[in-house]
């Protein structure tokens, strides 16, 4: 095995691969839906009512797949940025004070 094969994939590289292949899956599925819809329209020989139904279903499927991918990607990016922000905040935590805190004053006496 070469050195390139044995190196660990970094966090940024992993996120890049996920984004690239996720988008590729969405584009391929949308193209497949469009191809099936085009084939269906071609085979219907001008029956306009059914063509409208096929095109509506294809548009719904394409928009649903694309919206789901973009929504999941947005939530994933937001969660990742929050997690990285919390980790950075924990690392940059202010040092503990070395002096002991001043003792609290005794409670005031009530007058009879």
């Amino acid at each position: 095995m070469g050195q390139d094969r044995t190196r660990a994939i970094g966090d940024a590289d992993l996120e890049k691969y996920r984004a690239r292949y996720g988008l590729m899956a969405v584009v391929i599925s949308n193209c497949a839906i469009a191809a099936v819809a085009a084939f269906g329209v071609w085979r219907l020989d001008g029956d306009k009512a059914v063509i409208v139904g096929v095109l509506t279903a294809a548009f719904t499927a394409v928009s649903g797949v694309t919206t789901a991918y973009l929504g999941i990607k947005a939530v994933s990016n937001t969660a990742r940025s929050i997690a990285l922000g919390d980790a950075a905040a924990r690392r940059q935590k202010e040092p503990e004070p070395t002096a002991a805190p001043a003792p609290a004053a005794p409670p005031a006496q009530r007058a009879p």
Side-chain angles (χ1 to χ4, degrees):
M1 282 188 161
Q3 200 172 20
D4 292 333
R5 287 234 191 242
T6 58
R7 77 173 179 92
I9 296 176
D11 201 26
D13 289 336
L14 182 62
E15 191 62 33
K16 194 184 310 180
Y17 289 139
R18 284 181 182 164
R20 181 180 298 145
Y21 290 117
L23 183 62
M24 188 172 68
V26 169
V27 168
I28 289 172
S29 66
N30 286 348
C31 289
I33 292 168
V36 168
F39 180 75
V41 167
W42 173 65
R43 292 293 293 169
L44 289 173
D45 295 327
D47 188 2
K48 290 184 180 16
V50 178
I51 289 175
V52 169
V54 167
L55 292 178
T56 301
F59 179 76
T60 302
V62 166
S63 64
V65 168
T66 305
T67 303
Y69 170 74
L70 293 176
I72 291 168
K73 187 69 179 151
V75 169
S76 173
N77 289 345
T78 302
R80 186 171 185 266
S81 67
I82 289 171
L84 290 177
D86 287 346
R90 278 186 251 130
R91 281 188 298 241
Q92 296 175 354
K93 195 179 205 182
E94 292 183 22
E96 298 279 330
T98 56
Q109 295 291 326
R110 290 188 183 190

